[in-house]
Amino acid sequence: MKRARIMVASVVLLLGAIATAWAAGEAPSAPLSEQTQACLACHETYLSGIPADWRTSRHSMTTPAAAQAKPTAERRISAAAVPERLRSVAVGCYECHSLNPERHKDSFDHFGFRINVVVSPNDCATCHPVEAEQYAPSKKANAFHNLKDNPVFSSLVEAVDSVKTVHAGQIASAPATDATRAETCYACHGTDVTVAGLKTVTTPLGDLQFPDLTGWPNQGVGRVNPDGSLGSCTACHPRHSFSTAIARKPYTCSQCHLEPDVPAWEIYRESKHGNIMESVGQQWNWDAVPWTVGRDITAPTCAACHVSLLAGPKGDTIAPRNHDFGGRLWIRLFGLIYSHPQPKSGRTYEIRNQDGLPLPTTWTQGLATSYLIDQKEQEARRTQMRQICASCHSTDWAEKHLSRMETTAAETDAMVRAATDVMTAAWDQGLADRSNPFDEGLEQMWVEQWLFYADSVRLSSAMMGQDLATFEHGWWSLTHNLAQMHDAVKERAGPH
Amino acid sequence: MKRARIMVASVVLLLGAIATAWAAGEAPSAPLSEQTQACLACHETYLSGIPADWRTSRHSMTTPAAAQAKPTAERRISAAAVPERLRSVAVGCYECHSLNPERHKDSFDHFGFRINVVVSPNDCATCHPVEAEQYAPSKKANAFHNLKDNPVFSSLVEAVDSVKTVHAGQIASAPATDATRAETCYACHGTDVTVAGLKTVTTPLGDLQFPDLTGWPNQGVGRVNPDGSLGSCTACHPRHSFSTAIARKPYTCSQCHLEPDVPAWEIYRESKHGNIMESVGQQWNWDAVPWTVGRDITAPTCAACHVSLLAGPKGDTIAPRNHDFGGRLWIRLFGLIYSHPQPKSGRTYEIRNQDGLPLPTTWTQGLATSYLIDQKEQEARRTQMRQICASCHSTDWAEKHLSRMETTAAETDAMVRAATDVMTAAWDQGLADRSNPFDEGLEQMWVEQWLFYADSVRLSSAMMGQDLATFEHGWWSLTHNLAQMHDAVKERAGPH
Amino acid sequence: MKRARIMVASVVLLLGAIATAWAAGEAPSAPLSEQTQACLACHETYLSGIPADWRTSRHSMTTPAAAQAKPTAERRISAAAVPERLRSVAVGCYECHSLNPERHKDSFDHFGFRINVVVSPNDCATCHPVEAEQYAPSKKANAFHNLKDNPVFSSLVEAVDSVKTVHAGQIASAPATDATRAETCYACHGTDVTVAGLKTVTTPLGDLQFPDLTGWPNQGVGRVNPDGSLGSCTACHPRHSFSTAIARKPYTCSQCHLEPDVPAWEIYRESKHGNIMESVGQQWNWDAVPWTVGRDITAPTCAACHVSLLAGPKGDTIAPRNHDFGGRLWIRLFGLIYSHPQPKSGRTYEIRNQDGLPLPTTWTQGLATSYLIDQKEQEARRTQMRQICASCHSTDWAEKHLSRMETTAAETDAMVRAATDVMTAAWDQGLADRSNPFDEGLEQMWVEQWLFYADSVRLSSAMMGQDLATFEHGWWSLTHNLAQMHDAVKERAGPH
């Protein structure tokens, strides 16, 4: 019986041919530009995995003109007008890698074609300007600068990534290397991709010249591109299928949002929503635009609540598409010492709190209010999110869920405050050195209190995880870590 | 090409499902009651995700009468007689949410219908009485009371969940809030859902009155329902598909049974069984009743060994369905200080050991024998479990596997005993305060020895995990944690 | 729409019938030998899961003769000649369990047939000699001996697995039991399976005699089999489907290669490659031979880079199949104190470093050069791996990726060296006892520096994980653990 099913599945391959004809409305045989044909002539031999992946993409099967002809709600392209030369051909190699060469420091001559190595959000904006505009001012787009240009966080990066040696019984540090930074914090936040000139690379076709990129490879969300734009669409829509479905799968978000500092993935996975997705998600329609609650999906993924255009069964919009990933959120739950209202601007390094530090709160919970969204905006976003919940849960259910989360934000803030009080006492008593607040064992325990454990409990509350609120980096860890900090300070202070 | 394949594959899946239903005389267009039609008239607009999910369910496609007409082994309904008004309609909104209103404190008038918010195991028992009767006396059904009414465990909950502050260099605690309890321990164990009266909720249809529930939302396995019954069938058969397949997937169990305290999920996932499930499980028949070993599945999931009606290829019963989840088990491996025979009653808070504590062993391994199943019952359950193994493994293989697990239970008990001896010495020497055994750093290390590490090794042995017996919370942690407890006590005792 | 679906249904049914005939070239009804028919006559009742699983296998559907008739690149059988009696029957129970009885100490009489309990790599070599020959000299094949016969590592096993008790305030150890060793380190490394004689087992068919195996059950990669051969093909090709697809799925490798000591699985899962696999892998062709990059798979799995025969779209070989799992690697990144060139021989217990220890480096980073592959061999392997990357990434991209990894190996070595220096100072000052370097709390912190954290960062670099290079056992842990070791030594040394 099972074998019979497998055999039928094989026949599906055969049916593909028939289906190709059916799907003619989608123009699966979209014409290729001459230039793209030239690219493929070599690259289906060298780098053959890329064209093969691209051939699975919508880009290879449709044209901007066909994409624009769809009803508004189903449209995957947001440009009012697409340049004439691109309108009626497939979105191929040359169509993307040749855009805006004057802005691209990574533009180079490749067998007579002017090619950019890196395709940037500004290039994607040719067809997808609304998404690019939503993304550009977001925290994600600014993720490189939010780390690099915030002295508090860049000193944390340095404390972590610097190479330590032991001399005369003391730990000494050599500066972190670019290679290590690019593989750790900046792997997700994005690197600064610059062009150091041209270099010669030996290839199967002989020696060729290519731009010599620094900070490369990288697909971080706040990557600084050689054309000056910020971000990398391929962080979530990976090359070269640029799939909507992949971006909607929680595995995508899990590349960066995972234990211990942002355990969104683990919490989702252990939640009822994650269980349903893992159990029956293979029967969902991951690619539909709009994404219809209950029909296309029977539980939300990250994208459903935070990004996608969600619709009800009668085509009513539950939430419009929003590529500012924090745009539906009112409280900020992770990555900082205390929870706080979302910042007004995605350039969080510009914030100044009452102590003059680029942080949204002081270390004693004072809010940098003028940099944070006001009550009205918080309320509006909260209402939108509650409406998303209310697609499948009663208003009362949703309200009680959200209000629990707000209680939790306050309680975890208190648990962090207790640890901060222990830390401050240690600094005051000279049992630790506050000059760099991140480079001693005790200080690192304090960091774990907010960056690991409070974050874990708050995100668990938001997404209905259970163990990550309890034993796995949850209240257990908040409690145990505080006790251990307390014991360490007492031990160090010695007998009185 | 691939998309075409996906399209066709979806059609094939859809047709497969429909054809299966048709062939079985399952009446995919089961008639809806007038009341359910009225529910859907509004709720396919408001809360539309729920009806959409329900429409994927067997409940929406069949009637109790049709379900009863099946051969005994294939029957998914255990009632000898179903009330006449329910027999010939689909199991819709009204059919479930209107049952036993006299018992439901959450019963309210909703547009002229008497509706219960919460559907309870007692309601499900209308059609599934055998499952409800198996479940009711189990440890799972009593999970709320087993925590709340056991002073040892409720003091652990309080030590973990209380909000701590630092005053004059000492840690002080404010009582844990209901919100936090409901999100942590009681998220899995279940909350006490009570009705505080009616409240007015603003909805798209205007202001409406609904019961104001406390301890809500919750789907814990021992939930105390507004009708007095215990448990939540949707903990494993989530709303509103109530799917057998989902309950059989290990993702369901993983919502509560995961690292670090009950790492059953992680162990299963890293086991050979879990590998086979992840690798080829998408080709299995997850919905078949009975579940035939080798034909429907080629490796067990949690449900296969612990719950489901398992059959051999000739229809012979390997193990009958059992919704008392511990009913096939003889040793209890997790959640307590030492391993011990399974308790006779699911109300474990009634146990009294020789020290008068509600625990199955004393802290020096003395068994509360009269509360635990006897040798004969242990043997009977062990034989049943070995027969399940023996569906795919030789008798000798299975026997050696089980006997290894019993050795491991004894050895991990010894490793816990060593930690308990260190702890007791610290208490005796005044280096820790035994008045609350869970609220100090050293005491929490002791808790981790049994609640995290011993549990991990024992469950790894039972389910053939490897790393969770070794480095990840395994023997490595049992050994290292003991050494660290020992060092901490020595340090604290100071030089002699 | 509905009519369209009915049309598709007809097409599917029609094609289903065609497929049955079409697949006949694969001989799904391959003739069974008389002996195998006899096996099945009983075992489709007793142990029925095994025949059912086997019936899903290629072994049950084809014959060696048919397998040999395929074009070379597609061939799954490497024997030039297969014994006549096996050529034209399915590869059934008897065909495998009867091989080379003279070598098998576990050979026994079973209802008149001479049967071996354990099928070994030497038996599989009857049809798959090239794979067996590649495997035999590998580190994997020697994994049992590499642990058992290396006194450094076997003392680590003993430190971890020994049962501890507390006497007079001191921790004492009783030797680890075989049961525990077999469930922990040797679960992956393999046990020594010996035959203690015959024993009588009570079965449904009465009392029967079977070989009494020690170290059983086990499927470790370096298992010592009763015929003297090393390894277990079923470690990756699990019984009784012996599936190529399962072996290519990362879940298989994840059984042993996971957190915290070899977090390859977690790193792959959080990488872009893993995301793509989890998101769209269900559409891949997991069974194709050769495995074509871009067409069969759009991202690599473990097997793609390390084992499988990889081809380009025109049938060109990108990398030949290699069952020496380290055969494509030049640096060795995990399991030892410092990174180093791969060893020449898979029998690593034969290595002697400058201090006379069976380790590839001294504790101060001196390389045991004569036992390690030379520069030229390193370069050749590195080039092969870069070519695999270059199937989908530019030469420059791949080169920069690999060179980053080499930087990381050096930096993590420095971070381990710093911890070693702290440890050595503690030993020198009598603050720890170097006689067993693994049995004290401080020493175990040092072990975690190399075995957990350095390994995690190096593997993250190699496979483009992010969090496992940063916060989860990454640079954060390298830094924090070093600080904690330093603090512990300072505390212990006391005030000066």
Side-chain angles (χ1 to χ4, degrees):
Chain A
M1 178 62 189
K2 192 166 74 181
R3 210 160 80 205
R5 243 184 290 142
I6 294 166
M7 287 191 324
V8 173
S10 318
V11 173
V12 165
L13 288 163
L14 214 79
L15 265 173
I18 298 167
T20 303
W22 275 4
E26 279 272 20
S29 52
L32 306 185
S33 69
E34 267 178 42
Q35 296 92 332
T36 289
Q37 289 179 48
C39 302
L40 294 171
C42 278
H43 282 300
E44 297 213 295
T45 297
Y46 307 111
L47 282 174
S48 61
I50 295 180
D53 192 21
W54 170 77
R55 285 194 183 278
T56 71
S57 75
R58 189 174 295 268
H59 277 175
S60 75
M61 294 186 239
T62 191
T63 64
Q68 284 185 306
K70 292 203 168 185
T72 311
E74 296 173 26
R75 218 173 278 163
R76 294 160 196 266
I77 188 170
S78 58
V82 171
E84 190 52 38
R85 71 171 178 92
L86 303 172
R87 281 185 53 74
S88 305
V89 290
V91 185
C93 321
Y94 187 76
E95 284 62 42
C96 297
H97 281 276
S98 69
L99 291 167
N100 311 306
E102 69 291 353
R103 294 185 53 162
H104 272 274
K105 293 190 181 133
D106 57 323
S107 184
F108 72 113
D109 181 86
H110 189 51
F111 293 104
F113 297 100
R114 190 106 216 127
I115 296 296
N116 312 321
V117 177
V118 179
V119 178
S120 80
N122 184 59
D123 300 328
C124 300
T126 307
C127 293
H128 306 284
V130 172
E131 291 68 31
E133 278 154 32
Q134 289 170 343
Y135 189 77
S138 71
K139 292 196 298 291
K140 270 203 172 33
N142 288 283
F144 169 82
H145 290 297
N146 287 342
L147 211 52
K148 182 78 177 337
D149 298 338
N150 183 322
V152 176
F153 280 106
S154 57
S155 80
L156 177 58
V157 173
E158 194 60 25
V160 173
D161 281 354
S162 57
V163 181
K164 284 87 181 174
T165 46
V166 173
H167 293 294
Q170 295 303 317
I171 297 175
S173 298
T177 60
D178 282 342
T180 284
R181 283 199 201 98
E183 272 182 5
T184 56
C185 310
Y186 291 94
C188 286
H189 280 253
T191 54
D192 185 5
V193 179
T194 61
V195 181
L198 285 174
K199 63 184 264 189
T200 301
V201 174
T202 303
T203 79
L205 294 179
D207 283 3
L208 296 176
Q209 289 219 310
F210 296 97
D212 186 12
L213 303 182
T214 63
W216 190 248
N218 181 267
Q219 284 79 44
V221 295
R223 190 178 68 195
V224 181
N225 297 304
D227 68 351
S229 68
L230 298 176
S232 165
C233 302
T234 62
C236 304
H237 298 278
R239 295 169 295 158
H240 277 85
S241 69
F242 308 108
S243 157
T244 299
I246 292 179
R248 285 169 169 180
K249 299 229 167 169
Y251 314 115
T252 294
C253 312
S254 85
Q255 290 181 236
C256 290
H257 292 242
L258 76 172
E259 278 195 312
D261 51 318
V262 203
W265 156 248
E266 286 87 357
I267 291 165
Y268 176 75
R269 206 213 58 72
E270 81 176 37
S271 74
K272 182 58 84 191
H273 292 155
N275 167 22
I276 295 173
M277 187 284 297
E278 291 278 17
S279 294
V280 297
Q282 61 278 18
Q283 295 156 29
W284 292 356
N285 185 346
W286 289 90
D287 191 53
V289 172
W291 222 12
T292 302
V293 171
R295 192 173 63 204
D296 293 329
I297 51 172
T298 58
T301 67
C302 317
C305 292
H306 296 291
V307 186
S308 298
L309 166 57
L310 278 192
K314 294 172 181 167
D316 48 306
T317 296
I318 294 170
R321 188 182 294 116
N322 189 352
H323 275 69
D324 172 1
F325 289 72
R328 295 180 187 167
L329 300 176
W330 62 108
I331 318 188
R332 191 144 159 248
L333 296 176
F334 71 85
L336 286 138
I337 305 176
Y338 302 106
S339 69
H340 54 276
Q342 286 284 331
K344 287 179 183 164
S345 157
R347 292 187 296 282
T348 58
Y349 58 90
E350 296 176 347
I351 294 174
R352 289 295 171 276
N353 69 17
Q354 289 129 292
D355 298 334
L357 288 176
L359 296 174
T361 69
T362 63
W363 291 8
T364 52
Q365 300 184 256
L367 288 175
T369 310
S370 63
Y371 293 90
L372 309 176
I373 61 171
D374 63 19
Q375 195 65 38
K376 197 178 145 200
E377 176 67 13
Q378 290 177 52
E379 205 52 58
R381 295 186 184 190
R382 190 185 192 280
T383 300
Q384 183 184 46
M385 190 59 97
R386 202 181 57 197
Q387 276 163 357
I388 295 173
C389 300
S391 310
C392 298
H393 298 283
S394 76
T395 312
D396 186 45
W397 199 104
E399 177 55 38
K400 278 177 168 148
H401 168 62
L402 297 182
S403 109
R404 236 182 224 171
M405 185 189 80
E406 287 153 342
T407 304
T408 297
E411 291 187 21
T412 50
D413 286 346
M415 291 296 286
V416 170
R417 178 61 185 274
T420 306
D421 288 347
V422 171
M423 193 66 240
T424 304
W427 281 325
D428 290 348
Q429 295 165 45
L431 302 172
D433 173 5
R434 61 160 40 98
S435 64
N436 179 332
F438 304 126
D439 67 346
E440 296 173 57
L442 187 67
E443 291 166 341
Q444 289 150 6
M445 294 172 82
W446 168 69
V447 171
E448 294 188 349
Q449 188 81 351
W450 48 271
L451 191 60
F452 294 0
Y453 311 137
D455 283 10
S456 179
V457 173
R458 292 183 201 127
L459 291 171
S460 290
S461 181
M463 298 188 290
M464 291 179 291
Q466 303 175 339
D467 220 65
L468 278 137
T470 314
F471 287 117
E472 175 74 0
H473 291 191
W475 275 91
W476 175 260
S477 300
L478 282 173
T479 294
H480 187 42
N481 189 49
L482 179 65
Q484 288 190 305
M485 286 182 70
H486 180 255
D487 286 353
V489 169
K490 234 170 65 177
E491 208 76 46
R492 208 170 285 191
H496 295 287
Chain B
M1 176 66 180
K2 192 166 72 180
R3 207 168 68 225
R5 246 185 284 150
I6 296 165
M7 272 177 45
V8 176
S10 308
V11 173
V12 168
L13 280 169
L14 191 74
L15 284 166
I18 293 170
T20 305
W22 276 353
E26 275 259 29
S29 51
L32 306 184
S33 68
E34 267 177 43
Q35 296 93 331
T36 288
Q37 290 179 47
C39 301
L40 293 172
C42 280
H43 282 300
E44 297 216 294
T45 297
Y46 308 109
L47 282 173
S48 61
I50 294 180
D53 191 20
W54 171 77
R55 285 193 184 278
T56 71
S57 75
R58 188 174 295 268
H59 277 174
S60 76
M61 293 185 240
T62 191
T63 64
Q68 284 186 307
K70 293 200 166 185
T72 311
E74 296 173 26
R75 217 173 278 166
R76 294 159 196 267
I77 188 170
S78 58
V82 172
E84 189 52 38
R85 70 171 179 94
L86 302 172
R87 283 184 51 76
S88 304
V89 290
V91 185
C93 319
Y94 187 75
E95 284 62 42
C96 297
H97 281 275
S98 70
L99 292 167
N100 311 307
E102 70 291 352
R103 293 184 54 162
H104 272 274
K105 292 190 181 132
D106 58 323
S107 184
F108 73 114
D109 181 86
H110 189 52
F111 294 104
F113 298 99
R114 192 106 215 126
I115 296 297
N116 311 321
V117 177
V118 180
V119 178
S120 79
N122 184 59
D123 300 328
C124 300
T126 307
C127 293
H128 306 284
V130 171
E131 290 70 28
E133 277 154 32
Q134 289 170 343
Y135 190 76
S138 71
K139 290 196 299 291
K140 271 202 170 35
N142 288 284
F144 169 82
H145 290 297
N146 287 342
L147 210 53
K148 182 79 175 338
D149 298 339
N150 183 323
V152 176
F153 280 105
S154 57
S155 81
L156 177 58
V157 173
E158 194 59 26
V160 173
D161 281 354
S162 57
V163 181
K164 283 88 180 173
T165 46
V166 173
H167 293 293
Q170 294 304 317
I171 297 175
S173 298
T177 60
D178 282 343
T180 286
R181 282 197 201 98
E183 272 181 6
T184 55
C185 311
Y186 291 94
C188 287
H189 280 252
T191 55
D192 186 5
V193 179
T194 61
V195 182
L198 285 175
K199 64 183 265 187
T200 302
V201 173
T202 302
T203 78
L205 293 178
D207 284 3
L208 296 177
Q209 291 219 307
F210 296 97
D212 186 13
L213 304 181
T214 62
W216 190 248
N218 181 267
Q219 282 80 43
V221 294
R223 190 178 68 194
V224 182
N225 297 304
D227 68 350
S229 69
L230 298 175
S232 165
C233 301
T234 62
C236 305
H237 298 278
R239 296 169 296 156
H240 276 85
S241 69
F242 308 109
S243 156
T244 299
I246 292 180
R248 284 170 169 179
K249 298 228 167 167
Y251 313 114
T252 295
C253 312
S254 85
Q255 291 181 237
C256 290
H257 292 242
L258 75 173
E259 278 195 311
D261 51 316
V262 202
W265 156 249
E266 286 86 358
I267 291 164
Y268 176 75
R269 206 213 58 73
E270 81 176 37
S271 73
K272 181 59 84 192
H273 292 155
N275 167 24
I276 295 172
M277 188 284 298
E278 292 278 17
S279 294
V280 297
Q282 61 276 16
Q283 295 156 31
W284 292 357
N285 186 346
W286 289 91
D287 192 53
V289 171
W291 222 12
T292 302
V293 171
R295 190 172 66 201
D296 294 327
I297 51 174
T298 57
T301 66
C302 318
C305 292
H306 296 290
V307 186
S308 299
L309 166 56
L310 279 190
K314 294 172 181 168
D316 48 307
T317 296
I318 294 170
R321 188 182 293 117
N322 188 352
H323 274 70
D324 172 1
F325 289 72
R328 294 179 187 167
L329 300 175
W330 62 108
I331 317 189
R332 191 145 160 245
L333 296 177
F334 72 86
L336 285 139
I337 305 176
Y338 302 106
S339 68
H340 55 276
Q342 286 284 331
K344 286 178 183 165
S345 158
R347 292 186 296 281
T348 58
Y349 58 91
E350 295 176 349
I351 294 173
R352 288 296 171 277
N353 69 17
Q354 288 129 291
D355 298 333
L357 288 175
L359 296 174
T361 68
T362 62
W363 291 7
T364 51
Q365 301 183 255
L367 288 175
T369 310
S370 64
Y371 293 89
L372 308 176
I373 61 171
D374 62 18
Q375 196 65 38
K376 198 180 145 197
E377 176 66 16
Q378 291 178 50
E379 205 51 58
R381 296 186 184 190
R382 189 185 193 281
T383 300
Q384 184 184 42
M385 190 60 98
R386 200 180 59 196
Q387 276 163 357
I388 295 173
C389 301
S391 309
C392 299
H393 298 283
S394 76
T395 311
D396 185 44
W397 199 104
E399 178 54 38
K400 277 176 169 149
H401 168 62
L402 297 182
S403 110
R404 236 182 223 171
M405 184 189 79
E406 287 153 342
T407 305
T408 297
E411 291 187 20
T412 51
D413 286 345
M415 290 297 285
V416 170
R417 178 60 185 272
T420 305
D421 288 346
V422 171
M423 193 66 240
T424 304
W427 282 325
D428 289 347
Q429 296 165 45
L431 302 172
D433 172 6
R434 60 158 43 97
S435 64
N436 179 332
F438 304 128
D439 67 347
E440 296 172 58
L442 187 66
E443 291 166 342
Q444 288 151 7
M445 294 172 82
W446 168 68
V447 172
E448 293 188 349
Q449 188 82 351
W450 46 273
L451 191 60
F452 294 0
Y453 312 136
D455 283 9
S456 180
V457 173
R458 291 182 202 127
L459 290 171
S460 291
S461 180
M463 299 188 290
M464 290 180 290
Q466 303 174 339
D467 219 64
L468 277 138
T470 314
F471 286 118
E472 174 75 359
H473 291 191
W475 275 91
W476 174 260
S477 300
L478 282 173
T479 294
H480 186 44
N481 189 48
L482 179 65
Q484 288 190 305
M485 287 182 70
H486 181 256
D487 285 352
V489 169
K490 233 170 67 179
E491 208 76 45
R492 208 170 285 192
H496 295 287
Chain C
M1 180 62 186
K2 199 168 159 188
R3 212 162 84 196
R5 265 190 237 153
I6 292 164
M7 272 176 50
V8 177
S10 316
V11 173
V12 166
L13 289 170
L14 197 74
L15 284 166
I18 294 168
T20 310
W22 189 47
E26 277 276 17
S29 50
L32 307 184
S33 68
E34 265 177 46
Q35 296 93 330
T36 288
Q37 290 179 49
C39 301
L40 293 171
C42 278
H43 282 301
E44 297 215 295
T45 297
Y46 308 111
L47 282 174
S48 61
I50 294 179
D53 192 21
W54 170 77
R55 285 194 184 277
T56 72
S57 74
R58 188 173 296 267
H59 277 174
S60 76
M61 295 186 240
T62 192
T63 63
Q68 283 185 306
K70 292 201 167 186
T72 311
E74 296 173 27
R75 218 173 278 164
R76 295 159 195 267
I77 188 170
S78 57
V82 171
E84 190 52 38
R85 70 171 179 93
L86 302 173
R87 281 186 51 77
S88 304
V89 290
V91 184
C93 321
Y94 187 75
E95 283 63 40
C96 297
H97 281 276
S98 70
L99 292 166
N100 311 306
E102 69 291 353
R103 293 184 53 162
H104 271 275
K105 293 189 181 134
D106 57 324
S107 184
F108 72 114
D109 181 87
H110 188 51
F111 293 105
F113 298 100
R114 192 106 214 126
I115 297 297
N116 311 320
V117 177
V118 179
V119 177
S120 80
N122 184 60
D123 300 327
C124 299
T126 307
C127 293
H128 307 284
V130 171
E131 291 69 31
E133 277 154 32
Q134 289 170 343
Y135 190 77
S138 71
K139 292 195 298 292
K140 270 202 174 29
N142 288 284
F144 169 83
H145 290 297
N146 287 341
L147 211 51
K148 182 79 176 338
D149 298 338
N150 183 322
V152 176
F153 280 105
S154 58
S155 81
L156 177 57
V157 173
E158 194 60 24
V160 173
D161 281 354
S162 58
V163 182
K164 284 88 181 175
T165 46
V166 173
H167 292 295
Q170 295 303 317
I171 297 175
S173 298
T177 60
D178 282 341
T180 285
R181 283 197 201 97
E183 272 182 5
T184 56
C185 310
Y186 292 94
C188 287
H189 280 252
T191 54
D192 185 5
V193 179
T194 60
V195 182
L198 285 175
K199 63 184 265 187
T200 302
V201 174
T202 303
T203 79
L205 294 179
D207 285 3
L208 296 176
Q209 290 220 310
F210 296 97
D212 186 12
L213 304 181
T214 63
W216 189 249
N218 180 267
Q219 283 80 44
V221 295
R223 189 177 69 195
V224 181
N225 297 303
D227 67 350
S229 69
L230 298 176
S232 164
C233 301
T234 63
C236 303
H237 298 279
R239 298 169 292 157
H240 277 86
S241 68
F242 308 108
S243 156
T244 300
I246 291 181
R248 285 170 169 180
K249 299 228 166 170
Y251 314 115
T252 294
C253 312
S254 86
Q255 291 180 236
C256 290
H257 292 242
L258 77 173
E259 277 195 313
D261 50 318
V262 202
W265 156 247
E266 287 86 359
I267 291 164
Y268 176 75
R269 206 213 59 73
E270 82 176 38
S271 74
K272 181 59 84 192
H273 291 155
N275 167 23
I276 295 173
M277 186 284 297
E278 291 279 17
S279 294
V280 297
Q282 61 278 17
Q283 296 155 30
W284 292 355
N285 186 346
W286 289 90
D287 192 53
V289 171
W291 221 12
T292 302
V293 171
R295 191 172 67 203
D296 293 327
I297 51 172
T298 58
T301 67
C302 319
C305 293
H306 296 290
V307 186
S308 297
L309 165 57
L310 279 191
K314 295 173 181 168
D316 47 307
T317 295
I318 295 170
R321 187 182 294 115
N322 188 352
H323 274 69
D324 173 0
F325 289 72
R328 295 180 186 166
L329 300 175
W330 62 108
I331 317 188
R332 191 145 161 247
L333 297 177
F334 72 85
L336 285 138
I337 305 177
Y338 303 105
S339 69
H340 53 276
Q342 286 284 331
K344 287 178 183 165
S345 157
R347 291 186 297 281
T348 59
Y349 57 92
E350 295 176 347
I351 294 174
R352 287 296 171 274
N353 69 18
Q354 289 128 295
D355 298 334
L357 288 177
L359 296 174
T361 68
T362 62
W363 291 8
T364 51
Q365 301 183 254
L367 288 175
T369 309
S370 63
Y371 293 89
L372 310 176
I373 61 171
D374 62 18
Q375 196 66 37
K376 195 177 148 200
E377 176 67 14
Q378 291 177 51
E379 205 53 58
R381 294 186 184 191
R382 190 185 191 280
T383 300
Q384 182 183 46
M385 190 59 97
R386 200 179 60 195
Q387 277 163 355
I388 294 173
C389 300
S391 311
C392 298
H393 297 285
S394 75
T395 312
D396 185 45
W397 198 104
E399 178 54 38
K400 278 177 169 148
H401 168 63
L402 296 182
S403 109
R404 236 182 224 170
M405 184 189 81
E406 287 154 342
T407 306
T408 297
E411 292 187 20
T412 51
D413 285 346
M415 290 297 285
V416 170
R417 178 61 185 273
T420 305
D421 288 346
V422 171
M423 194 66 240
T424 303
W427 282 325
D428 289 347
Q429 297 164 44
L431 302 172
D433 172 6
R434 60 160 41 99
S435 64
N436 179 332
F438 305 127
D439 67 346
E440 295 173 57
L442 186 68
E443 291 166 341
Q444 289 151 5
M445 294 172 81
W446 168 68
V447 172
E448 293 188 350
Q449 188 81 351
W450 47 271
L451 191 59
F452 294 0
Y453 310 137
D455 283 10
S456 180
V457 173
R458 291 182 202 127
L459 291 171
S460 290
S461 181
M463 298 188 290
M464 290 180 291
Q466 303 174 340
D467 220 64
L468 278 139
T470 314
F471 286 118
E472 175 74 0
H473 291 190
W475 275 91
W476 175 260
S477 300
L478 281 174
T479 294
H480 186 43
N481 189 49
L482 178 65
Q484 288 190 305
M485 285 182 70
H486 180 255
D487 286 353
V489 169
K490 233 170 67 178
E491 209 74 47
R492 208 170 285 193
H496 295 288

